[in-house]
Amino acid sequence: DQQVKQNSPSLSVQEGRISILNCDYTNSMFDYFLWYKKYPAEGPTFLISISSIKDKNEDGRFTVFLNKSAKHLSLHIVPSQPGDSAVYFCAASDRTYKYIFGTGTRLKVLA
Amino acid sequence: DTAVSQTPKYLVTQMGNDKSIKCEQNLGHDTMYWYKQDSKKFLKIMFSYNNKELIINETVPNRFSPKSPDKAHLNLHINSLELGDSAVYFCASSQAGSPLHFGNGTRLTVT
């Protein structure tokens, strides 16, 4: 039973354009959501998070949107850069110690 | 300054052997984790310790035994290794309600 889903395994975007990565969850107890970026042979690196009391959080080129009624969150990267090419994982927590991860989306930014 | 470090980075061993992976964090976090990333790239939680106390123990074969000598260290010992144990194992740490910080992973190959 996968509680956090990323239905797009891969995404290609032209440099300078917007990248939109999507994530769906099923557990209504989740109230803290995170995005991680992972390069090959490295561990996931924290990118941005959002609490369920908000519907948007922005940090530079990265914005996370949360739609609680749809149990959906998305990560927008604007403008996309070749260095953004990586695997992106979303994760969710119910404020216990458990963080549940999606299966990842591989983003390729084309120069 | 590596925040979460795990050793070894690569581990190749034969079926039936016993091996250990070590993890140390210098972030002062109270909670440490082991995650497994299998061939499908799914990041699945295995164990979590908070102040040396086991708080999460997912459905993991009891051949896997975590040990936390202090809150800065969490080791993973695996007995009687099987082919299906081949994966990348990530250590992580966090403070309550804050993002996980991951190590760079240990790629375990069982032949």
Side-chain angles (χ1 to χ4, degrees), chain B residues 49-111:
Chain B
Y49 272 76
N50 177 257
N51 281 317
K52 301 194 297 176
E53 182 183 344
L54 181 66
I55 54 170
I56 295 174
N57 185 352
E58 292 295 288
T59 309
V60 177
N62 56 17
R63 298 182 293 104
F64 290 77
S65 52
K67 283 195 171 46
S68 182
D70 56 61
K71 74 173 193 176
H73 294 85
L74 179 61
N75 303 322
L76 183 65
H77 187 77
I78 315 169
N79 289 328
S80 303
L81 278 154
E82 300 178 356
L83 292 176
D85 298 332
S86 295
V88 181
Y89 292 85
F90 288 99
C91 177
S93 72
S94 76
Q95 201 63 12
S98 69
L100 297 177
H101 292 255
F102 283 89
N104 281 330
T106 295
R107 181 174 292 277
L108 171 65
T109 303
V110 182
T111 61

Side-chain angles (χ1 to χ4, degrees), chain A residues 8-21 80-81 84-86 88 105-111:
Chain A
S8 298
S10 63
L11 175 67
S12 291
V13 172
Q14 284 295 130
E15 181 178 6
R17 298 288 184 101
I18 184 171
S19 295
I20 300 176
L21 296 100
S80 300
Q81 299 172 354
D84 296 330
S85 297
Y88 289 79
T105 296
R106 182 179 300 278
L107 173 66
K108 190 171 184 179
V109 180
L110 307 168

